[in-house]
Amino acid sequence: MAEDDALWSTLGFAEDAAVFASASQNVRVLSEGWIAMHGFCPSCGAEPLAAFKANAPVADFHCSVCAEEYELKAQRGPIKRRIMDGAYGAMTARLKARNNPSLMVMSYDPGRARVTDLIVVPRHFFTTDLIEPRKPLGPNARRAGWQGCNILIGDVPLSGRIPLITGGAVTPRAEVVDRWRSTLFLKDASLNARGWLLAVMRAVEAATDFGGRPEFTLDDVYAHEASLSALYPGNRNVRPKIRQQLQVLRDRGWLAFNGRGTYRRT
Ligand SMILES: [Zn+2]
């Protein structure tokens, strides 16, 4: 996705598609090849991204400058709310060890001729709630008992779904890196604290019509109190908890306090 590469979208899958026999293998090889050729590191802006050896556990690329690791999932048509991913145990173990990879999700058109959308979810947006276990494979399956997982992309705040390509239009690299850096503070939070911050970020995004208007009030966020209580039933003091998260988000520059109970997204 080098910015000076005006032909990026036409450097698609179609020409090579016939070479690969298996459809899923085909998509994997082509999408990884595309990232290796056009991708850059959304964390630091360096290029290219280096591919791990095939079948590396839970990651496909890494950046040789900042060491960020990426997993890539490609699918036909619009990016869905739920992405099928690899082994559940490996994903949760890496998350708990705080070395999970960031996730790139690519969508391509039905003819596999071009990449239509590409987003990256930085690893600091992951919580255990985001990883949904799938049913283990039955006793007759080749890998009986193996358990995969889904990643619930739809539950990630918009701030954590950084667009690199939207409907064929490329986001400037500097903007991608800026957006990545603006939420790096989540890295410092424990998984539990991160869960609260992400829930309040989602509430703020909903309260501001997902970027439609910059200002909001405390009451706008309290309107989501019920869903926050449902997420965290153990915590009866949801309102103080919300105010506390807003303060953290203000201290970290994600939002600003205007006074008189009004806030503004920065
Ligand atoms: Zn990097």
Side-chain angles (χ1 to χ4, degrees):
M1 261 158 303
E3 281 161 66
D4 54 355
D5 187 357
L7 294 175
W8 66 271
S9 67
T10 56
L11 289 167
F13 299 167
E15 275 173 42
D16 304 302
V19 177
F20 304 98
S22 140
S24 63
Q25 192 64 12
N26 178 348
V27 165
R28 187 173 176 82
V29 169
L30 293 172
S31 58
E32 289 183 4
W34 192 93
I35 290 288
M37 195 183 294
H38 305 292
F40 64 86
C41 172
S43 162
C44 76
E47 65 176 310
L49 286 174
F52 279 112
K53 287 195 181 76
N55 300 322
V58 203
D60 301 308
F61 294 95
H62 66 277
C63 171
S64 54
V65 175
C66 73
E68 195 67 43
E69 294 184 6
Y70 300 93
E71 189 187 14
L72 173 67
K73 293 286 160 195
Q75 58 181 35
R76 196 170 72 174
I79 293 173
K80 298 175 186 74
R81 297 183 54 81
R82 186 181 250 109
I83 308 283
M84 203 186 275
D85 207 334
Y88 176 66
M91 273 307 284
T92 49
R94 285 203 61 174
L95 181 56
K96 280 173 187 153
R98 301 175 79 94
N99 73 346
N100 56 301
S102 296
L103 177 65
M104 286 184 172
V105 186
M106 173 190 286
S107 76
Y108 53 89
D109 68 17
R112 295 181 194 173
R114 59 196 283 271
V115 176
T116 47
D117 294 274
L118 179 64
I119 62 168
V120 62
V121 179
R123 64 196 176 99
H124 46 272
F125 275 88
F126 278 76
T127 60
T128 43
D129 293 348
L130 225 56
I131 302 169
E132 180 184 66
R134 289 207 308 270
K135 240 173 92 176
L137 297 181
N140 298 323
R142 191 167 52 85
R143 290 183 296 168
W146 184 86
Q147 186 173 29
C149 66
N150 298 314
I151 307 291
L152 304 177
I153 294 285
D155 289 351
V156 177
L158 280 184
S159 297
R161 289 181 254 169
I162 301 174
L164 288 89
I165 298 174
T166 310
V170 181
T171 311
R173 185 183 309 204
E175 192 181 321
V176 170
V177 174
D178 271 358
R179 290 183 70 153
W180 183 288
R181 290 186 178 153
S182 71
T183 57
L184 268 183
F185 62 88
L186 290 167
K187 234 176 201 174
D188 306 331
S190 68
L191 285 183
N192 184 41
R194 192 184 285 178
W196 271 105
L197 281 168
L198 296 178
V200 172
M201 285 167 97
R202 282 199 303 267
V204 168
E205 286 177 350
T208 52
D209 299 332
F210 301 100
R213 57 198 179 97
E215 295 206 340
F216 63 98
T217 66
L218 201 48
D219 284 339
D220 292 335
V221 184
Y222 285 163
H224 298 270
E225 189 182 355
S227 63
L228 289 167
S229 310
L231 272 177
Y232 297 99
N235 198 312
R236 292 173 189 282
N237 304 309
V238 171
R239 288 192 173 201
K241 195 78 188 170
I242 289 173
R243 290 198 300 274
Q244 185 192 42
Q245 305 310 304
L246 290 172
Q247 225 156 58
V248 174
L249 293 170
R250 182 198 62 182
D251 293 346
R252 300 303 198 140
W254 192 77
L255 56 80
F257 185 45
N258 287 348
R260 294 170 181 266
T262 63
Y263 297 80
R264 158 172 61 81
R265 275 300 313 279
T266 47

